[in-house]
Amino acid sequence: GAGVSQSPSNKVTEKGKDVELRCDPISGHTALYWYRQSLGQGLEFLIYFQGNSAPDKSGLPSDRFSAERTGGSVSTLTIQRTQQEDSAVYLCASSFKRGGYTGELFFGEGSRLTVL
Amino acid sequence: GIQVEQSPPDLILQEGANSTLRCNFSDSVNNLQWFHQNPWGQLINLFYIPSGTKQNGRLSATTVATERYSLLYISSSQTTDSGVYFCAGTGGFYNQGGKLIFGQGTELSVKP
């Protein structure tokens, strides 16, 4: 597709359930990022993938959160045993690194997660 | 890690007014970018501006990386400029990539 695609756009789940959020980056973009945005707040970094390098997982808030990127393209963010404080919009972005620099980030429309 | 401070946190303008938004970094910064989040939540990249000045229509941005700040200028504001403006960068002047850290944003409201 032309832009970053995220699914589902909206997810309501019960506390304790696992959820998977998917991100399809812009074709050819080598870097992929996950951020979390709580209501009225800024963007909290979660994880960053770059090519075949080991991902930077320094922003994952707990071991209930994990992410993978298959074939250098699609990424899945998994939250196990969801808690109410996990409720937020999860944003995915991709970029094409130019000359080693990060390049412009392009964001998807986000996945809104509500944990009841 | 690098800290990003944006000012002002909130701004109300009358249509047609000009404004300047500021972004300060706690350490050397690279890959600086400005984003606009519209009222529906979509984030749009406005500028990729690690240094120097760029202009795009009524918007322009200037980054002085050695002094750890960036400015976003909005001229002749329109109601469609309303939303939240974020700046973001990677820590370390010689950092060529890595995670982008965001400021808390400036919420702009332009009144007709």
PDB file of all heavy atoms in Angstrom, chain A residues 28-54:
ATOM      1  N   GLY A  28       9.670  -1.080   1.138  1.00  0.00           N
ATOM      2  CA  GLY A  28      11.037  -0.593   0.968  1.00  0.00           C
ATOM      3  C   GLY A  28      11.605   0.102   2.193  1.00  0.00           C
ATOM      4  O   GLY A  28      12.821   0.342   2.251  1.00  0.00           O
ATOM      5  N   HIS A  29      10.764   0.437   3.149  1.00  0.00           N
ATOM      6  CA  HIS A  29      11.275   1.075   4.371  1.00  0.00           C
ATOM      7  C   HIS A  29      11.968   0.032   5.234  1.00  0.00           C
ATOM      8  O   HIS A  29      11.421  -1.044   5.497  1.00  0.00           O
ATOM      9  CB  HIS A  29      10.140   1.729   5.155  1.00  0.00           C
ATOM     10  CG  HIS A  29       9.772   3.075   4.629  1.00  0.00           C
ATOM     11  ND1 HIS A  29       8.973   3.957   5.323  1.00  0.00           N
ATOM     12  CD2 HIS A  29      10.125   3.718   3.491  1.00  0.00           C
ATOM     13  CE1 HIS A  29       8.844   5.074   4.622  1.00  0.00           C
ATOM     14  NE2 HIS A  29       9.525   4.941   3.504  1.00  0.00           N
ATOM     15  N   THR A  30      13.169   0.391   5.679  1.00  0.00           N
ATOM     16  CA  THR A  30      13.981  -0.568   6.409  1.00  0.00           C
ATOM     17  C   THR A  30      13.777  -0.477   7.918  1.00  0.00           C
ATOM     18  O   THR A  30      14.075  -1.420   8.636  1.00  0.00           O
ATOM     19  CB  THR A  30      15.468  -0.344   6.110  1.00  0.00           C
ATOM     20  OG1 THR A  30      15.793   1.036   6.378  1.00  0.00           O
ATOM     21  CG2 THR A  30      15.761  -0.641   4.638  1.00  0.00           C
ATOM     22  N   ALA A  31      13.302   0.661   8.399  1.00  0.00           N
ATOM     23  CA  ALA A  31      13.137   0.853   9.845  1.00  0.00           C
ATOM     24  C   ALA A  31      11.658   0.862  10.214  1.00  0.00           C
ATOM     25  O   ALA A  31      10.829   1.394   9.470  1.00  0.00           O
ATOM     26  CB  ALA A  31      13.791   2.155  10.292  1.00  0.00           C
ATOM     27  N   LEU A  32      11.346   0.267  11.347  1.00  0.00           N
ATOM     28  CA  LEU A  32       9.961   0.202  11.816  1.00  0.00           C
ATOM     29  C   LEU A  32       9.955   0.480  13.305  1.00  0.00           C
ATOM     30  O   LEU A  32      10.800  -0.023  14.051  1.00  0.00           O
ATOM     31  CB  LEU A  32       9.365  -1.183  11.523  1.00  0.00           C
ATOM     32  CG  LEU A  32       7.863  -1.372  11.817  1.00  0.00           C
ATOM     33  CD1 LEU A  32       7.269  -2.349  10.809  1.00  0.00           C
ATOM     34  CD2 LEU A  32       7.617  -1.821  13.237  1.00  0.00           C
ATOM     35  N   TYR A  33       9.001   1.303  13.737  1.00  0.00           N
ATOM     36  CA  TYR A  33       8.914   1.762  15.128  1.00  0.00           C
ATOM     37  C   TYR A  33       7.511   1.500  15.672  1.00  0.00           C
ATOM     38  O   TYR A  33       6.527   1.649  14.953  1.00  0.00           O
ATOM     39  CB  TYR A  33       9.154   3.280  15.219  1.00  0.00           C
ATOM     40  CG  TYR A  33      10.387   3.785  14.518  1.00  0.00           C
ATOM     41  CD1 TYR A  33      10.431   3.904  13.134  1.00  0.00           C
ATOM     42  CD2 TYR A  33      11.507   4.194  15.248  1.00  0.00           C
ATOM     43  CE1 TYR A  33      11.558   4.389  12.485  1.00  0.00           C
ATOM     44  CE2 TYR A  33      12.635   4.690  14.608  1.00  0.00           C
ATOM     45  CZ  TYR A  33      12.653   4.781  13.225  1.00  0.00           C
ATOM     46  OH  TYR A  33      13.768   5.266  12.586  1.00  0.00           O
ATOM     47  N   TRP A  34       7.439   1.197  16.953  1.00  0.00           N
ATOM     48  CA  TRP A  34       6.179   1.157  17.684  1.00  0.00           C
ATOM     49  C   TRP A  34       6.223   2.194  18.800  1.00  0.00           C
ATOM     50  O   TRP A  34       7.226   2.277  19.543  1.00  0.00           O
ATOM     51  CB  TRP A  34       5.926  -0.213  18.305  1.00  0.00           C
ATOM     52  CG  TRP A  34       5.465  -1.279  17.356  1.00  0.00           C
ATOM     53  CD1 TRP A  34       6.230  -2.242  16.769  1.00  0.00           C
ATOM     54  CD2 TRP A  34       4.122  -1.512  16.915  1.00  0.00           C
ATOM     55  NE1 TRP A  34       5.452  -3.060  15.975  1.00  0.00           N
ATOM     56  CE2 TRP A  34       4.156  -2.634  16.052  1.00  0.00           C
ATOM     57  CE3 TRP A  34       2.896  -0.890  17.148  1.00  0.00           C
ATOM     58  CZ2 TRP A  34       3.007  -3.142  15.435  1.00  0.00           C
ATOM     59  CZ3 TRP A  34       1.767  -1.399  16.543  1.00  0.00           C
ATOM     60  CH2 TRP A  34       1.824  -2.510  15.696  1.00  0.00           C
ATOM     61  N   TYR A  35       5.135   2.969  18.895  1.00  0.00           N
ATOM     62  CA  TYR A  35       4.959   3.944  19.957  1.00  0.00           C
ATOM     63  C   TYR A  35       3.587   3.726  20.594  1.00  0.00           C
ATOM     64  O   TYR A  35       2.688   3.140  19.984  1.00  0.00           O
ATOM     65  CB  TYR A  35       5.033   5.383  19.423  1.00  0.00           C
ATOM     66  CG  TYR A  35       6.413   5.833  19.009  1.00  0.00           C
ATOM     67  CD1 TYR A  35       6.893   5.568  17.727  1.00  0.00           C
ATOM     68  CD2 TYR A  35       7.236   6.524  19.893  1.00  0.00           C
ATOM     69  CE1 TYR A  35       8.165   5.974  17.344  1.00  0.00           C
ATOM     70  CE2 TYR A  35       8.512   6.933  19.516  1.00  0.00           C
ATOM     71  CZ  TYR A  35       8.960   6.646  18.246  1.00  0.00           C
ATOM     72  OH  TYR A  35      10.221   7.049  17.869  1.00  0.00           O
ATOM     73  N   ARG A  36       3.453   4.243  21.812  1.00  0.00           N
ATOM     74  CA  ARG A  36       2.172   4.186  22.509  1.00  0.00           C
ATOM     75  C   ARG A  36       1.791   5.601  22.917  1.00  0.00           C
ATOM     76  O   ARG A  36       2.657   6.376  23.378  1.00  0.00           O
ATOM     77  CB  ARG A  36       2.299   3.292  23.752  1.00  0.00           C
ATOM     78  CG  ARG A  36       1.049   3.198  24.584  1.00  0.00           C
ATOM     79  CD  ARG A  36       1.165   2.099  25.627  1.00  0.00           C
ATOM     80  NE  ARG A  36       2.081   2.410  26.713  1.00  0.00           N
ATOM     81  CZ  ARG A  36       2.221   1.634  27.784  1.00  0.00           C
ATOM     82  NH1 ARG A  36       1.529   0.516  27.884  1.00  0.00           N
ATOM     83  NH2 ARG A  36       3.080   1.981  28.732  1.00  0.00           N
ATOM     84  N   GLN A  37       0.515   5.930  22.733  1.00  0.00           N
ATOM     85  CA  GLN A  37       0.039   7.264  23.110  1.00  0.00           C
ATOM     86  C   GLN A  37      -1.210   7.115  23.958  1.00  0.00           C
ATOM     87  O   GLN A  37      -2.248   6.655  23.475  1.00  0.00           O
ATOM     88  CB  GLN A  37      -0.262   8.110  21.861  1.00  0.00           C
ATOM     89  CG  GLN A  37      -0.594   9.552  22.186  1.00  0.00           C
ATOM     90  CD  GLN A  37      -0.771  10.416  20.950  1.00  0.00           C
ATOM     91  OE1 GLN A  37      -1.203   9.943  19.900  1.00  0.00           O
ATOM     92  NE2 GLN A  37      -0.423  11.688  21.054  1.00  0.00           N
ATOM     93  N   SER A  38      -1.086   7.492  25.219  1.00  0.00           N
ATOM     94  CA  SER A  38      -2.246   7.510  26.105  1.00  0.00           C
ATOM     95  C   SER A  38      -2.993   8.813  25.884  1.00  0.00           C
ATOM     96  O   SER A  38      -2.444   9.779  25.357  1.00  0.00           O
ATOM     97  CB  SER A  38      -1.805   7.374  27.560  1.00  0.00           C
ATOM     98  OG  SER A  38      -1.107   6.160  27.732  1.00  0.00           O
ATOM     99  N   LEU A  39      -4.248   8.851  26.322  1.00  0.00           N
ATOM    100  CA  LEU A  39      -5.132   9.991  26.046  1.00  0.00           C
ATOM    101  C   LEU A  39      -4.493  11.297  26.481  1.00  0.00           C
ATOM    102  O   LEU A  39      -4.115  11.461  27.640  1.00  0.00           O
ATOM    103  CB  LEU A  39      -6.465   9.770  26.761  1.00  0.00           C
ATOM    104  CG  LEU A  39      -7.586  10.742  26.389  1.00  0.00           C
ATOM    105  CD1 LEU A  39      -7.938  10.597  24.913  1.00  0.00           C
ATOM    106  CD2 LEU A  39      -8.815  10.515  27.252  1.00  0.00           C
ATOM    107  N   GLY A  40      -4.361  12.219  25.532  1.00  0.00           N
ATOM    108  CA  GLY A  40      -3.842  13.542  25.845  1.00  0.00           C
ATOM    109  C   GLY A  40      -2.360  13.605  26.148  1.00  0.00           C
ATOM    110  O   GLY A  40      -1.868  14.636  26.604  1.00  0.00           O
ATOM    111  N   GLN A  41      -1.653  12.524  25.883  1.00  0.00           N
ATOM    112  CA  GLN A  41      -0.232  12.471  26.198  1.00  0.00           C
ATOM    113  C   GLN A  41       0.634  12.462  24.940  1.00  0.00           C
ATOM    114  O   GLN A  41       0.120  12.385  23.815  1.00  0.00           O
ATOM    115  CB  GLN A  41       0.071  11.217  27.030  1.00  0.00           C
ATOM    116  CG  GLN A  41      -0.703  11.139  28.324  1.00  0.00           C
ATOM    117  CD  GLN A  41      -0.358  12.271  29.263  1.00  0.00           C
ATOM    118  OE1 GLN A  41       0.805  12.536  29.544  1.00  0.00           O
ATOM    119  NE2 GLN A  41      -1.383  12.964  29.750  1.00  0.00           N
ATOM    120  N   GLY A  42       1.940  12.513  25.152  1.00  0.00           N
ATOM    121  CA  GLY A  42       2.885  12.420  24.048  1.00  0.00           C
ATOM    122  C   GLY A  42       3.082  10.979  23.620  1.00  0.00           C
ATOM    123  O   GLY A  42       2.379  10.071  24.073  1.00  0.00           O
ATOM    124  N   LEU A  43       4.054  10.771  22.760  1.00  0.00           N
ATOM    125  CA  LEU A  43       4.338   9.443  22.237  1.00  0.00           C
ATOM    126  C   LEU A  43       5.443   8.780  23.054  1.00  0.00           C
ATOM    127  O   LEU A  43       6.522   9.338  23.234  1.00  0.00           O
ATOM    128  CB  LEU A  43       4.778   9.527  20.771  1.00  0.00           C
ATOM    129  CG  LEU A  43       3.660   9.566  19.744  1.00  0.00           C
ATOM    130  CD1 LEU A  43       2.944  10.899  19.779  1.00  0.00           C
ATOM    131  CD2 LEU A  43       4.202   9.279  18.360  1.00  0.00           C
ATOM    132  N   GLU A  44       5.159   7.589  23.528  1.00  0.00           N
ATOM    133  CA  GLU A  44       6.106   6.806  24.322  1.00  0.00           C
ATOM    134  C   GLU A  44       6.726   5.745  23.425  1.00  0.00           C
ATOM    135  O   GLU A  44       6.020   4.897  22.868  1.00  0.00           O
ATOM    136  CB  GLU A  44       5.364   6.161  25.494  1.00  0.00           C
ATOM    137  CG  GLU A  44       6.202   5.232  26.341  1.00  0.00           C
ATOM    138  CD  GLU A  44       5.346   4.449  27.339  1.00  0.00           C
ATOM    139  OE1 GLU A  44       4.101   4.551  27.290  1.00  0.00           O
ATOM    140  OE2 GLU A  44       5.936   3.720  28.161  1.00  0.00           O
ATOM    141  N   PHE A  45       8.043   5.785  23.294  1.00  0.00           N
ATOM    142  CA  PHE A  45       8.753   4.809  22.468  1.00  0.00           C
ATOM    143  C   PHE A  45       8.637   3.417  23.065  1.00  0.00           C
ATOM    144  O   PHE A  45       8.795   3.227  24.270  1.00  0.00           O
ATOM    145  CB  PHE A  45      10.231   5.207  22.365  1.00  0.00           C
ATOM    146  CG  PHE A  45      11.108   4.135  21.779  1.00  0.00           C
ATOM    147  CD1 PHE A  45      11.142   3.919  20.409  1.00  0.00           C
ATOM    148  CD2 PHE A  45      11.889   3.340  22.599  1.00  0.00           C
ATOM    149  CE1 PHE A  45      11.948   2.927  19.871  1.00  0.00           C
ATOM    150  CE2 PHE A  45      12.699   2.342  22.072  1.00  0.00           C
ATOM    151  CZ  PHE A  45      12.729   2.135  20.699  1.00  0.00           C
ATOM    152  N   LEU A  46       8.372   2.423  22.228  1.00  0.00           N
ATOM    153  CA  LEU A  46       8.303   1.031  22.675  1.00  0.00           C
ATOM    154  C   LEU A  46       9.454   0.211  22.120  1.00  0.00           C
ATOM    155  O   LEU A  46      10.241  -0.371  22.871  1.00  0.00           O
ATOM    156  CB  LEU A  46       6.971   0.402  22.269  1.00  0.00           C
ATOM    157  CG  LEU A  46       5.707   1.016  22.877  1.00  0.00           C
ATOM    158  CD1 LEU A  46       4.473   0.319  22.317  1.00  0.00           C
ATOM    159  CD2 LEU A  46       5.740   0.927  24.392  1.00  0.00           C
ATOM    160  N   ILE A  47       9.568   0.125  20.782  1.00  0.00           N
ATOM    161  CA  ILE A  47      10.552  -0.751  20.174  1.00  0.00           C
ATOM    162  C   ILE A  47      10.873  -0.256  18.767  1.00  0.00           C
ATOM    163  O   ILE A  47      10.041   0.388  18.114  1.00  0.00           O
ATOM    164  CB  ILE A  47      10.049  -2.216  20.150  1.00  0.00           C
ATOM    165  CG1 ILE A  47      11.145  -3.188  19.699  1.00  0.00           C
ATOM    166  CG2 ILE A  47       8.810  -2.354  19.286  1.00  0.00           C
ATOM    167  CD1 ILE A  47      10.790  -4.659  19.934  1.00  0.00           C
ATOM    168  N   TYR A  48      12.099  -0.558  18.305  1.00  0.00           N
ATOM    169  CA  TYR A  48      12.586  -0.090  17.011  1.00  0.00           C
ATOM    170  C   TYR A  48      13.303  -1.240  16.319  1.00  0.00           C
ATOM    171  O   TYR A  48      14.169  -1.889  16.916  1.00  0.00           O
ATOM    172  CB  TYR A  48      13.524   1.097  17.252  1.00  0.00           C
ATOM    173  CG  TYR A  48      14.515   1.436  16.161  1.00  0.00           C
ATOM    174  CD1 TYR A  48      14.090   1.882  14.917  1.00  0.00           C
ATOM    175  CD2 TYR A  48      15.887   1.368  16.394  1.00  0.00           C
ATOM    176  CE1 TYR A  48      15.002   2.243  13.939  1.00  0.00           C
ATOM    177  CE2 TYR A  48      16.799   1.717  15.417  1.00  0.00           C
ATOM    178  CZ  TYR A  48      16.359   2.154  14.194  1.00  0.00           C
ATOM    179  OH  TYR A  48      17.262   2.519  13.229  1.00  0.00           O
ATOM    180  N   PHE A  49      12.944  -1.498  15.066  1.00  0.00           N
ATOM    181  CA  PHE A  49      13.589  -2.505  14.231  1.00  0.00           C
ATOM    182  C   PHE A  49      14.325  -1.799  13.094  1.00  0.00           C
ATOM    183  O   PHE A  49      13.789  -0.888  12.473  1.00  0.00           O
ATOM    184  CB  PHE A  49      12.549  -3.439  13.587  1.00  0.00           C
ATOM    185  CG  PHE A  49      11.770  -4.272  14.545  1.00  0.00           C
ATOM    186  CD1 PHE A  49      10.570  -3.808  15.077  1.00  0.00           C
ATOM    187  CD2 PHE A  49      12.205  -5.539  14.915  1.00  0.00           C
ATOM    188  CE1 PHE A  49       9.833  -4.579  15.953  1.00  0.00           C
ATOM    189  CE2 PHE A  49      11.476  -6.317  15.792  1.00  0.00           C
ATOM    190  CZ  PHE A  49      10.279  -5.839  16.315  1.00  0.00           C
ATOM    191  N   GLN A  50      15.531  -2.243  12.807  1.00  0.00           N
ATOM    192  CA  GLN A  50      16.275  -1.713  11.676  1.00  0.00           C
ATOM    193  C   GLN A  50      16.929  -2.866  10.943  1.00  0.00           C
ATOM    194  O   GLN A  50      17.878  -3.481  11.448  1.00  0.00           O
ATOM    195  CB  GLN A  50      17.325  -0.700  12.131  1.00  0.00           C
ATOM    196  CG  GLN A  50      18.314  -0.298  11.036  1.00  0.00           C
ATOM    197  CD  GLN A  50      17.648   0.204   9.763  1.00  0.00           C
ATOM    198  OE1 GLN A  50      16.645   0.910   9.816  1.00  0.00           O
ATOM    199  NE2 GLN A  50      18.188  -0.174   8.615  1.00  0.00           N
ATOM    200  N   GLY A  51      16.424  -3.149   9.739  1.00  0.00           N
ATOM    201  CA  GLY A  51      16.997  -4.184   8.905  1.00  0.00           C
ATOM    202  C   GLY A  51      17.133  -5.501   9.653  1.00  0.00           C
ATOM    203  O   GLY A  51      16.203  -5.963  10.312  1.00  0.00           O
ATOM    204  N   ASN A  52      18.309  -6.078   9.560  1.00  0.00           N
ATOM    205  CA  ASN A  52      18.576  -7.359  10.215  1.00  0.00           C
ATOM    206  C   ASN A  52      19.227  -7.206  11.586  1.00  0.00           C
ATOM    207  O   ASN A  52      19.591  -8.208  12.215  1.00  0.00           O
ATOM    208  CB  ASN A  52      19.481  -8.214   9.330  1.00  0.00           C
ATOM    209  CG  ASN A  52      18.794  -8.589   8.030  1.00  0.00           C
ATOM    210  OD1 ASN A  52      17.607  -8.878   8.012  1.00  0.00           O
ATOM    211  ND2 ASN A  52      19.546  -8.565   6.935  1.00  0.00           N
ATOM    212  N   SER A  53      19.363  -5.951  12.031  1.00  0.00           N
ATOM    213  CA  SER A  53      19.995  -5.722  13.330  1.00  0.00           C
ATOM    214  C   SER A  53      19.063  -6.146  14.461  1.00  0.00           C
ATOM    215  O   SER A  53      17.844  -6.214  14.282  1.00  0.00           O
ATOM    216  CB  SER A  53      20.347  -4.244  13.495  1.00  0.00           C
ATOM    217  OG  SER A  53      21.184  -3.806  12.465  1.00  0.00           O
ATOM    218  N   ALA A  54      19.657  -6.405  15.623  1.00  0.00           N
ATOM    219  CA  ALA A  54      18.849  -6.715  16.803  1.00  0.00           C
ATOM    220  C   ALA A  54      17.968  -5.513  17.137  1.00  0.00           C
ATOM    221  O   ALA A  54      18.438  -4.368  17.104  1.00  0.00           O
ATOM    222  CB  ALA A  54      19.757  -7.046  17.982  1.00  0.00           C
TER     223      ALA A  54
END
